[in-house]
PDB file of all heavy atoms in Angstrom:
ATOM      1  N   GLY M   1       2.510   3.015 -11.088  1.00  0.00           N
ATOM      2  CA  GLY M   1       3.921   3.263 -11.478  1.00  0.00           C
ATOM      3  C   GLY M   1       4.855   3.236 -10.239  1.00  0.00           C
ATOM      4  O   GLY M   1       5.943   2.702 -10.294  1.00  0.00           O
ATOM      5  N   LEU M   2       4.360   3.868  -9.105  1.00  0.00           N
ATOM      6  CA  LEU M   2       5.263   3.838  -7.936  1.00  0.00           C
ATOM      7  C   LEU M   2       5.334   2.491  -7.335  1.00  0.00           C
ATOM      8  O   LEU M   2       6.406   2.086  -6.855  1.00  0.00           O
ATOM      9  CB  LEU M   2       4.692   4.850  -6.894  1.00  0.00           C
ATOM     10  CG  LEU M   2       5.379   4.973  -5.541  1.00  0.00           C
ATOM     11  CD1 LEU M   2       6.863   5.353  -5.836  1.00  0.00           C
ATOM     12  CD2 LEU M   2       4.738   5.972  -4.647  1.00  0.00           C
ATOM     13  N   ALA M   3       4.235   1.751  -7.369  1.00  0.00           N
ATOM     14  CA  ALA M   3       4.262   0.301  -6.874  1.00  0.00           C
ATOM     15  C   ALA M   3       5.297  -0.497  -7.565  1.00  0.00           C
ATOM     16  O   ALA M   3       6.011  -1.243  -6.954  1.00  0.00           O
ATOM     17  CB  ALA M   3       2.896  -0.308  -6.986  1.00  0.00           C
ATOM     18  N   VAL M   4       5.382  -0.332  -8.896  1.00  0.00           N
ATOM     19  CA  VAL M   4       6.381  -1.078  -9.714  1.00  0.00           C
ATOM     20  C   VAL M   4       7.781  -0.716  -9.205  1.00  0.00           C
ATOM     21  O   VAL M   4       8.634  -1.651  -9.068  1.00  0.00           O
ATOM     22  CB  VAL M   4       6.183  -0.818 -11.190  1.00  0.00           C
ATOM     23  CG1 VAL M   4       7.358  -1.373 -12.037  1.00  0.00           C
ATOM     24  CG2 VAL M   4       4.869  -1.433 -11.722  1.00  0.00           C
ATOM     25  N   MET M   5       8.072   0.527  -9.043  1.00  0.00           N
ATOM     26  CA  MET M   5       9.401   0.969  -8.644  1.00  0.00           C
ATOM     27  C   MET M   5       9.720   0.433  -7.254  1.00  0.00           C
ATOM     28  O   MET M   5      10.835   0.061  -7.034  1.00  0.00           O
ATOM     29  CB  MET M   5       9.484   2.515  -8.650  1.00  0.00           C
ATOM     30  CG  MET M   5       9.307   3.102 -10.038  1.00  0.00           C
ATOM     31  SD  MET M   5      10.647   2.667 -11.146  1.00  0.00           S
ATOM     32  CE  MET M   5      12.054   3.467 -10.412  1.00  0.00           C
ATOM     33  N   LEU M   6       8.798   0.477  -6.363  1.00  0.00           N
ATOM     34  CA  LEU M   6       9.077  -0.039  -5.003  1.00  0.00           C
ATOM     35  C   LEU M   6       9.284  -1.500  -4.928  1.00  0.00           C
ATOM     36  O   LEU M   6      10.215  -1.940  -4.232  1.00  0.00           O
ATOM     37  CB  LEU M   6       7.924   0.342  -4.041  1.00  0.00           C
ATOM     38  CG  LEU M   6       7.635   1.837  -3.785  1.00  0.00           C
ATOM     39  CD1 LEU M   6       6.473   2.069  -2.905  1.00  0.00           C
ATOM     40  CD2 LEU M   6       8.951   2.532  -3.271  1.00  0.00           C
ATOM     41  N   ARG M   7       8.517  -2.237  -5.717  1.00  0.00           N
ATOM     42  CA  ARG M   7       8.810  -3.668  -5.800  1.00  0.00           C
ATOM     43  C   ARG M   7      10.150  -4.055  -6.376  1.00  0.00           C
ATOM     44  O   ARG M   7      10.834  -4.914  -5.919  1.00  0.00           O
ATOM     45  CB  ARG M   7       7.667  -4.390  -6.690  1.00  0.00           C
ATOM     46  CG  ARG M   7       6.321  -4.322  -6.046  1.00  0.00           C
ATOM     47  CD  ARG M   7       5.334  -5.177  -6.888  1.00  0.00           C
ATOM     48  NE  ARG M   7       3.936  -4.994  -6.388  1.00  0.00           N
ATOM     49  CZ  ARG M   7       3.022  -4.290  -6.983  1.00  0.00           C
ATOM     50  NH1 ARG M   7       3.286  -3.653  -8.150  1.00  0.00           N
ATOM     51  NH2 ARG M   7       1.820  -4.179  -6.460  1.00  0.00           N
ATOM     52  N   LYS M   8      10.543  -3.195  -7.295  1.00  0.00           N
ATOM     53  CA  LYS M   8      11.873  -3.439  -8.025  1.00  0.00           C
ATOM     54  C   LYS M   8      13.070  -3.090  -7.132  1.00  0.00           C
ATOM     55  O   LYS M   8      13.947  -3.809  -7.050  1.00  0.00           O
ATOM     56  CB  LYS M   8      11.863  -2.638  -9.274  1.00  0.00           C
ATOM     57  CG  LYS M   8      13.230  -2.746 -10.045  1.00  0.00           C
ATOM     58  CD  LYS M   8      13.191  -1.926 -11.364  1.00  0.00           C
ATOM     59  CE  LYS M   8      14.543  -1.947 -12.100  1.00  0.00           C
ATOM     60  NZ  LYS M   8      14.500  -1.166 -13.289  1.00  0.00           N
ATOM     61  N   HIS M   9      12.977  -1.950  -6.474  1.00  0.00           N
ATOM     62  CA  HIS M   9      14.135  -1.380  -5.788  1.00  0.00           C
ATOM     63  C   HIS M   9      14.154  -1.726  -4.290  1.00  0.00           C
ATOM     64  O   HIS M   9      15.261  -1.693  -3.637  1.00  0.00           O
ATOM     65  CB  HIS M   9      14.245   0.155  -5.972  1.00  0.00           C
ATOM     66  CG  HIS M   9      14.517   0.555  -7.352  1.00  0.00           C
ATOM     67  ND1 HIS M   9      15.793   0.445  -7.899  1.00  0.00           N
ATOM     68  CD2 HIS M   9      13.719   1.016  -8.335  1.00  0.00           C
ATOM     69  CE1 HIS M   9      15.681   0.866  -9.224  1.00  0.00           C
ATOM     70  NE2 HIS M   9      14.522   1.208  -9.444  1.00  0.00           N
ATOM     71  N   ILE M  10      12.993  -1.977  -3.673  1.00  0.00           N
ATOM     72  CA  ILE M  10      12.944  -2.292  -2.287  1.00  0.00           C
ATOM     73  C   ILE M  10      12.808  -3.740  -1.934  1.00  0.00           C
ATOM     74  O   ILE M  10      13.268  -4.299  -0.979  1.00  0.00           O
ATOM     75  CB  ILE M  10      11.799  -1.479  -1.591  1.00  0.00           C
ATOM     76  CG1 ILE M  10      11.928   0.000  -1.771  1.00  0.00           C
ATOM     77  CG2 ILE M  10      11.737  -1.789  -0.072  1.00  0.00           C
ATOM     78  CD1 ILE M  10      13.070   0.630  -1.078  1.00  0.00           C
ATOM     79  N   GLY M  11      12.280  -4.522  -2.909  1.00  0.00           N
ATOM     80  CA  GLY M  11      12.033  -5.899  -2.734  1.00  0.00           C
ATOM     81  C   GLY M  11      11.010  -6.222  -1.702  1.00  0.00           C
ATOM     82  O   GLY M  11      11.194  -6.975  -0.781  1.00  0.00           O
ATOM     83  N   CYS M  12       9.800  -5.601  -1.862  1.00  0.00           N
ATOM     84  CA  CYS M  12       8.751  -5.700  -0.826  1.00  0.00           C
ATOM     85  C   CYS M  12       7.450  -6.039  -1.486  1.00  0.00           C
ATOM     86  O   CYS M  12       7.272  -5.877  -2.740  1.00  0.00           O
ATOM     87  CB  CYS M  12       8.673  -4.475  -0.012  1.00  0.00           C
ATOM     88  SG  CYS M  12       8.327  -3.002  -0.984  1.00  0.00           S
ATOM     89  N   VAL M  13       6.395  -6.404  -0.700  1.00  0.00           N
ATOM     90  CA  VAL M  13       4.998  -6.474  -1.163  1.00  0.00           C
ATOM     91  C   VAL M  13       4.415  -5.180  -1.161  1.00  0.00           C
ATOM     92  O   VAL M  13       4.443  -4.504  -0.153  1.00  0.00           O
ATOM     93  CB  VAL M  13       4.304  -7.538  -0.275  1.00  0.00           C
ATOM     94  CG1 VAL M  13       2.804  -7.578  -0.726  1.00  0.00           C
ATOM     95  CG2 VAL M  13       4.946  -8.945  -0.378  1.00  0.00           C
ATOM     96  N   VAL M  14       3.761  -4.742  -2.265  1.00  0.00           N
ATOM     97  CA  VAL M  14       3.074  -3.456  -2.285  1.00  0.00           C
ATOM     98  C   VAL M  14       1.595  -3.722  -2.491  1.00  0.00           C
ATOM     99  O   VAL M  14       1.183  -4.246  -3.520  1.00  0.00           O
ATOM    100  CB  VAL M  14       3.606  -2.604  -3.394  1.00  0.00           C
ATOM    101  CG1 VAL M  14       2.932  -1.197  -3.457  1.00  0.00           C
ATOM    102  CG2 VAL M  14       5.103  -2.320  -3.210  1.00  0.00           C
ATOM    103  N   LEU M  15       0.778  -3.330  -1.485  1.00  0.00           N
ATOM    104  CA  LEU M  15      -0.633  -3.390  -1.595  1.00  0.00           C
ATOM    105  C   LEU M  15      -1.154  -2.046  -2.057  1.00  0.00           C
ATOM    106  O   LEU M  15      -0.510  -0.972  -1.763  1.00  0.00           O
ATOM    107  CB  LEU M  15      -1.254  -3.748  -0.240  1.00  0.00           C
ATOM    108  CG  LEU M  15      -0.644  -5.038   0.420  1.00  0.00           C
ATOM    109  CD1 LEU M  15      -1.205  -5.241   1.810  1.00  0.00           C
ATOM    110  CD2 LEU M  15      -0.977  -6.245  -0.471  1.00  0.00           C
ATOM    111  N   GLU M  16      -2.278  -1.989  -2.744  1.00  0.00           N
ATOM    112  CA  GLU M  16      -2.758  -0.694  -3.235  1.00  0.00           C
ATOM    113  C   GLU M  16      -4.263  -0.461  -2.799  1.00  0.00           C
ATOM    114  O   GLU M  16      -5.008  -1.414  -2.705  1.00  0.00           O
ATOM    115  CB  GLU M  16      -2.706  -0.716  -4.765  1.00  0.00           C
ATOM    116  CG  GLU M  16      -1.265  -0.900  -5.307  1.00  0.00           C
ATOM    117  CD  GLU M  16      -1.239  -0.890  -6.823  1.00  0.00           C
ATOM    118  OE1 GLU M  16      -2.006  -0.084  -7.442  1.00  0.00           O
ATOM    119  OE2 GLU M  16      -0.549  -1.787  -7.438  1.00  0.00           O
ATOM    120  N   ALA M  17      -4.464   0.816  -2.543  1.00  0.00           N
ATOM    121  CA  ALA M  17      -5.834   1.230  -2.163  1.00  0.00           C
ATOM    122  C   ALA M  17      -6.088   2.582  -2.886  1.00  0.00           C
ATOM    123  O   ALA M  17      -5.191   3.448  -2.994  1.00  0.00           O
ATOM    124  CB  ALA M  17      -6.020   1.386  -0.665  1.00  0.00           C
ATOM    125  N   LYS M  18      -7.373   2.783  -3.277  1.00  0.00           N
ATOM    126  CA  LYS M  18      -7.686   4.010  -4.042  1.00  0.00           C
ATOM    127  C   LYS M  18      -8.184   5.147  -3.157  1.00  0.00           C
ATOM    128  O   LYS M  18      -8.394   6.345  -3.630  1.00  0.00           O
ATOM    129  CB  LYS M  18      -8.569   3.762  -5.159  1.00  0.00           C
ATOM    130  CG  LYS M  18      -9.980   3.191  -4.820  1.00  0.00           C
ATOM    131  CD  LYS M  18     -10.835   2.985  -6.029  1.00  0.00           C
ATOM    132  CE  LYS M  18     -12.161   2.306  -5.700  1.00  0.00           C
ATOM    133  NZ  LYS M  18     -12.094   0.942  -5.238  1.00  0.00           N
ATOM    134  N   ASN M  19      -8.515   4.817  -1.870  1.00  0.00           N
ATOM    135  CA  ASN M  19      -8.954   5.787  -0.959  1.00  0.00           C
ATOM    136  C   ASN M  19      -8.771   5.397   0.517  1.00  0.00           C
ATOM    137  O   ASN M  19      -8.480   4.185   0.742  1.00  0.00           O
ATOM    138  CB  ASN M  19     -10.475   6.121  -1.190  1.00  0.00           C
ATOM    139  CG  ASN M  19     -11.358   4.803  -1.107  1.00  0.00           C
ATOM    140  OD1 ASN M  19     -11.359   4.163  -0.038  1.00  0.00           O
ATOM    141  ND2 ASN M  19     -12.161   4.549  -2.171  1.00  0.00           N
ATOM    142  N   PRO M  20      -8.887   6.295   1.421  1.00  0.00           N
ATOM    143  CA  PRO M  20      -8.647   5.945   2.864  1.00  0.00           C
ATOM    144  C   PRO M  20      -9.518   4.843   3.407  1.00  0.00           C
ATOM    145  O   PRO M  20      -9.134   4.025   4.225  1.00  0.00           O
ATOM    146  CB  PRO M  20      -8.873   7.248   3.591  1.00  0.00           C
ATOM    147  CG  PRO M  20      -8.563   8.277   2.636  1.00  0.00           C
ATOM    148  CD  PRO M  20      -9.058   7.813   1.296  1.00  0.00           C
ATOM    149  N   THR M  21     -10.877   4.846   2.935  1.00  0.00           N
ATOM    150  CA  THR M  21     -11.790   3.774   3.412  1.00  0.00           C
ATOM    151  C   THR M  21     -11.229   2.413   3.114  1.00  0.00           C
ATOM    152  O   THR M  21     -11.213   1.456   3.929  1.00  0.00           O
ATOM    153  CB  THR M  21     -13.182   4.026   2.862  1.00  0.00           C
ATOM    154  OG1 THR M  21     -13.652   5.280   3.277  1.00  0.00           O
ATOM    155  CG2 THR M  21     -14.143   2.954   3.389  1.00  0.00           C
ATOM    156  N   GLU M  22     -10.838   2.242   1.771  1.00  0.00           N
ATOM    157  CA  GLU M  22     -10.316   1.004   1.322  1.00  0.00           C
ATOM    158  C   GLU M  22      -9.061   0.628   2.048  1.00  0.00           C
ATOM    159  O   GLU M  22      -8.742  -0.501   2.347  1.00  0.00           O
ATOM    160  CB  GLU M  22     -10.099   1.095  -0.196  1.00  0.00           C
ATOM    161  CG  GLU M  22      -9.770  -0.166  -0.802  1.00  0.00           C
ATOM    162  CD  GLU M  22      -9.611  -0.127  -2.356  1.00  0.00           C
ATOM    163  OE1 GLU M  22     -10.578   0.378  -2.898  1.00  0.00           O
ATOM    164  OE2 GLU M  22      -8.646  -0.558  -2.869  1.00  0.00           O
ATOM    165  N   ALA M  23      -8.262   1.688   2.347  1.00  0.00           N
ATOM    166  CA  ALA M  23      -6.991   1.475   3.060  1.00  0.00           C
ATOM    167  C   ALA M  23      -7.189   0.957   4.436  1.00  0.00           C
ATOM    168  O   ALA M  23      -6.475  -0.049   4.815  1.00  0.00           O
ATOM    169  CB  ALA M  23      -6.221   2.829   3.131  1.00  0.00           C
ATOM    170  N   LEU M  24      -8.108   1.444   5.147  1.00  0.00           N
ATOM    171  CA  LEU M  24      -8.441   1.089   6.535  1.00  0.00           C
ATOM    172  C   LEU M  24      -8.902  -0.414   6.550  1.00  0.00           C
ATOM    173  O   LEU M  24      -8.590  -1.241   7.430  1.00  0.00           O
ATOM    174  CB  LEU M  24      -9.451   1.880   7.203  1.00  0.00           C
ATOM    175  CG  LEU M  24      -8.925   3.298   7.632  1.00  0.00           C
ATOM    176  CD1 LEU M  24     -10.083   4.126   8.105  1.00  0.00           C
ATOM    177  CD2 LEU M  24      -7.880   3.121   8.770  1.00  0.00           C
ATOM    178  N   ASP M  25      -9.651  -0.790   5.485  1.00  0.00           N
ATOM    179  CA  ASP M  25     -10.147  -2.163   5.362  1.00  0.00           C
ATOM    180  C   ASP M  25      -9.023  -3.112   5.184  1.00  0.00           C
ATOM    181  O   ASP M  25      -8.927  -4.205   5.779  1.00  0.00           O
ATOM    182  CB  ASP M  25     -11.140  -2.289   4.185  1.00  0.00           C
ATOM    183  CG  ASP M  25     -11.783  -3.634   4.129  1.00  0.00           C
ATOM    184  OD1 ASP M  25     -12.383  -4.092   5.112  1.00  0.00           O
ATOM    185  OD2 ASP M  25     -11.667  -4.251   3.058  1.00  0.00           O
ATOM    186  N   ILE M  26      -8.005  -2.760   4.401  1.00  0.00           N
ATOM    187  CA  ILE M  26      -6.863  -3.579   4.166  1.00  0.00           C
ATOM    188  C   ILE M  26      -5.994  -3.679   5.440  1.00  0.00           C
ATOM    189  O   ILE M  26      -5.539  -4.821   5.796  1.00  0.00           O
ATOM    190  CB  ILE M  26      -5.999  -2.999   2.996  1.00  0.00           C
ATOM    191  CG1 ILE M  26      -6.737  -3.076   1.638  1.00  0.00           C
ATOM    192  CG2 ILE M  26      -4.620  -3.708   2.899  1.00  0.00           C
ATOM    193  CD1 ILE M  26      -6.022  -2.448   0.526  1.00  0.00           C
ATOM    194  N   LEU M  27      -5.914  -2.593   6.167  1.00  0.00           N
ATOM    195  CA  LEU M  27      -5.111  -2.528   7.365  1.00  0.00           C
ATOM    196  C   LEU M  27      -5.699  -3.473   8.459  1.00  0.00           C
ATOM    197  O   LEU M  27      -4.968  -4.046   9.281  1.00  0.00           O
ATOM    198  CB  LEU M  27      -4.897  -1.172   7.890  1.00  0.00           C
ATOM    199  CG  LEU M  27      -4.031  -0.164   7.018  1.00  0.00           C
ATOM    200  CD1 LEU M  27      -4.123   1.172   7.662  1.00  0.00           C
ATOM    201  CD2 LEU M  27      -2.630  -0.732   6.939  1.00  0.00           C
ATOM    202  N   GLU M  28      -7.027  -3.574   8.491  1.00  0.00           N
ATOM    203  CA  GLU M  28      -7.703  -4.469   9.382  1.00  0.00           C
ATOM    204  C   GLU M  28      -7.436  -5.909   9.123  1.00  0.00           C
ATOM    205  O   GLU M  28      -7.413  -6.698  10.033  1.00  0.00           O
ATOM    206  CB  GLU M  28      -9.132  -4.149   9.468  1.00  0.00           C
ATOM    207  CG  GLU M  28      -9.579  -2.754   9.916  1.00  0.00           C
ATOM    208  CD  GLU M  28      -9.556  -2.749  11.497  1.00  0.00           C
ATOM    209  OE1 GLU M  28      -9.283  -3.751  12.127  1.00  0.00           O
ATOM    210  OE2 GLU M  28      -9.782  -1.641  11.995  1.00  0.00           O
ATOM    211  N   LYS M  29      -7.169  -6.278   7.843  1.00  0.00           N
ATOM    212  CA  LYS M  29      -7.085  -7.650   7.511  1.00  0.00           C
ATOM    213  C   LYS M  29      -5.691  -8.164   7.273  1.00  0.00           C
ATOM    214  O   LYS M  29      -5.428  -9.390   7.314  1.00  0.00           O
ATOM    215  CB  LYS M  29      -7.900  -7.886   6.243  1.00  0.00           C
ATOM    216  CG  LYS M  29      -9.405  -7.552   6.359  1.00  0.00           C
ATOM    217  CD  LYS M  29     -10.133  -7.681   5.032  1.00  0.00           C
ATOM    218  CE  LYS M  29     -11.607  -7.415   5.199  1.00  0.00           C
ATOM    219  NZ  LYS M  29     -12.339  -7.474   3.878  1.00  0.00           N
ATOM    220  N   GLN M  30      -4.757  -7.260   6.943  1.00  0.00           N
ATOM    221  CA  GLN M  30      -3.409  -7.744   6.591  1.00  0.00           C
ATOM    222  C   GLN M  30      -2.279  -6.979   7.438  1.00  0.00           C
ATOM    223  O   GLN M  30      -2.509  -5.871   7.874  1.00  0.00           O
ATOM    224  CB  GLN M  30      -3.164  -7.455   5.062  1.00  0.00           C
ATOM    225  CG  GLN M  30      -4.223  -8.151   4.173  1.00  0.00           C
ATOM    226  CD  GLN M  30      -3.709  -8.303   2.752  1.00  0.00           C
ATOM    227  OE1 GLN M  30      -2.528  -8.546   2.476  1.00  0.00           O
ATOM    228  NE2 GLN M  30      -4.584  -8.008   1.791  1.00  0.00           N
ATOM    229  N   ASP M  31      -1.180  -7.673   7.497  1.00  0.00           N
ATOM    230  CA  ASP M  31      -0.059  -7.118   8.234  1.00  0.00           C
ATOM    231  C   ASP M  31       0.718  -6.136   7.256  1.00  0.00           C
ATOM    232  O   ASP M  31       1.149  -6.616   6.243  1.00  0.00           O
ATOM    233  CB  ASP M  31       0.943  -8.197   8.665  1.00  0.00           C
ATOM    234  CG  ASP M  31       0.280  -9.053   9.763  1.00  0.00           C
ATOM    235  OD1 ASP M  31      -0.476  -8.511  10.548  1.00  0.00           O
ATOM    236  OD2 ASP M  31       0.660 -10.275   9.827  1.00  0.00           O
ATOM    237  N   VAL M  32       0.827  -4.918   7.705  1.00  0.00           N
ATOM    238  CA  VAL M  32       1.491  -3.915   6.890  1.00  0.00           C
ATOM    239  C   VAL M  32       2.407  -3.155   7.852  1.00  0.00           C
ATOM    240  O   VAL M  32       2.131  -2.974   8.976  1.00  0.00           O
ATOM    241  CB  VAL M  32       0.475  -2.944   6.205  1.00  0.00           C
ATOM    242  CG1 VAL M  32       1.160  -1.769   5.539  1.00  0.00           C
ATOM    243  CG2 VAL M  32      -0.443  -3.666   5.277  1.00  0.00           C
ATOM    244  N   CYS M  33       3.623  -2.751   7.333  1.00  0.00           N
ATOM    245  CA  CYS M  33       4.593  -2.047   8.155  1.00  0.00           C
ATOM    246  C   CYS M  33       4.703  -0.588   7.758  1.00  0.00           C
ATOM    247  O   CYS M  33       5.213   0.205   8.537  1.00  0.00           O
ATOM    248  CB  CYS M  33       5.891  -2.725   8.191  1.00  0.00           C
ATOM    249  SG  CYS M  33       6.736  -2.807   6.603  1.00  0.00           S
ATOM    250  N   LEU M  34       4.211  -0.239   6.563  1.00  0.00           N
ATOM    251  CA  LEU M  34       4.404   1.200   6.076  1.00  0.00           C
ATOM    252  C   LEU M  34       3.303   1.572   5.212  1.00  0.00           C
ATOM    253  O   LEU M  34       2.839   0.784   4.364  1.00  0.00           O
ATOM    254  CB  LEU M  34       5.718   1.323   5.309  1.00  0.00           C
ATOM    255  CG  LEU M  34       5.998   2.661   4.702  1.00  0.00           C
ATOM    256  CD1 LEU M  34       6.276   3.674   5.759  1.00  0.00           C
ATOM    257  CD2 LEU M  34       7.250   2.542   3.817  1.00  0.00           C
ATOM    258  N   VAL M  35       2.770   2.781   5.488  1.00  0.00           N
ATOM    259  CA  VAL M  35       1.711   3.333   4.621  1.00  0.00           C
ATOM    260  C   VAL M  35       2.148   4.554   3.903  1.00  0.00           C
ATOM    261  O   VAL M  35       2.705   5.459   4.552  1.00  0.00           O
ATOM    262  CB  VAL M  35       0.473   3.668   5.437  1.00  0.00           C
ATOM    263  CG1 VAL M  35      -0.647   4.347   4.544  1.00  0.00           C
ATOM    264  CG2 VAL M  35      -0.144   2.421   6.037  1.00  0.00           C
ATOM    265  N   ILE M  36       1.973   4.619   2.632  1.00  0.00           N
ATOM    266  CA  ILE M  36       2.329   5.875   1.843  1.00  0.00           C
ATOM    267  C   ILE M  36       0.999   6.350   1.329  1.00  0.00           C
ATOM    268  O   ILE M  36       0.330   5.629   0.523  1.00  0.00           O
ATOM    269  CB  ILE M  36       3.267   5.556   0.699  1.00  0.00           C
ATOM    270  CG1 ILE M  36       4.543   4.984   1.141  1.00  0.00           C
ATOM    271  CG2 ILE M  36       3.559   6.883  -0.125  1.00  0.00           C
ATOM    272  CD1 ILE M  36       5.527   4.544   0.094  1.00  0.00           C
ATOM    273  N   THR M  37       0.549   7.517   1.670  1.00  0.00           N
ATOM    274  CA  THR M  37      -0.759   8.018   1.319  1.00  0.00           C
ATOM    275  C   THR M  37      -0.724   9.427   0.772  1.00  0.00           C
ATOM    276  O   THR M  37       0.064  10.260   1.210  1.00  0.00           O
ATOM    277  CB  THR M  37      -1.700   7.989   2.554  1.00  0.00           C
ATOM    278  OG1 THR M  37      -3.031   8.418   2.089  1.00  0.00           O
ATOM    279  CG2 THR M  37      -1.219   8.889   3.695  1.00  0.00           C
ATOM    280  N   ASP M  38      -1.587   9.668  -0.191  1.00  0.00           N
ATOM    281  CA  ASP M  38      -1.820  11.032  -0.726  1.00  0.00           C
ATOM    282  C   ASP M  38      -2.756  11.750   0.234  1.00  0.00           C
ATOM    283  O   ASP M  38      -3.419  11.198   1.055  1.00  0.00           O
ATOM    284  CB  ASP M  38      -2.477  10.848  -2.086  1.00  0.00           C
ATOM    285  CG  ASP M  38      -2.693  12.240  -2.719  1.00  0.00           C
ATOM    286  OD1 ASP M  38      -1.677  12.947  -2.857  1.00  0.00           O
ATOM    287  OD2 ASP M  38      -3.841  12.531  -3.174  1.00  0.00           O
ATOM    288  N   LEU M  39      -2.746  13.123   0.111  1.00  0.00           N
ATOM    289  CA  LEU M  39      -3.628  13.928   1.000  1.00  0.00           C
ATOM    290  C   LEU M  39      -5.001  13.931   0.550  1.00  0.00           C
ATOM    291  O   LEU M  39      -5.902  14.305   1.300  1.00  0.00           O
ATOM    292  CB  LEU M  39      -3.041  15.343   1.031  1.00  0.00           C
ATOM    293  CG  LEU M  39      -1.843  15.598   1.966  1.00  0.00           C
ATOM    294  CD1 LEU M  39      -1.498  17.042   1.945  1.00  0.00           C
ATOM    295  CD2 LEU M  39      -2.162  15.208   3.374  1.00  0.00           C
TER     296      LEU M  39
END
């Protein structure tokens, strides 16, 4: 739901990860400028 809102209002690419391990794997492979993470 948040990804849809960000794509609509910010005009950016939104990648998704379900946990920190998956997030780190994405960060190693792709260029990202901002991370929004749950605790």
Side-chain angles (χ1 to χ4, degrees):
L2 180 57
V4 169
M5 294 299 293
L6 294 180
R7 293 185 186 106
K8 176 180 178 182
H9 293 283
I10 301 294
C12 57
V13 174
V14 181
L15 308 173
E16 299 179 41
K18 61 179 178 292
N19 57 55
T21 302
E22 188 175 311
L24 286 170
D25 185 56
I26 292 173
L27 292 176
E28 292 284 355
K29 298 175 180 177
Q30 301 198 43
D31 291 328
V32 175
C33 62
L34 176 67
V35 174
I36 303 175
T37 181
D38 182 52
L39 281 180

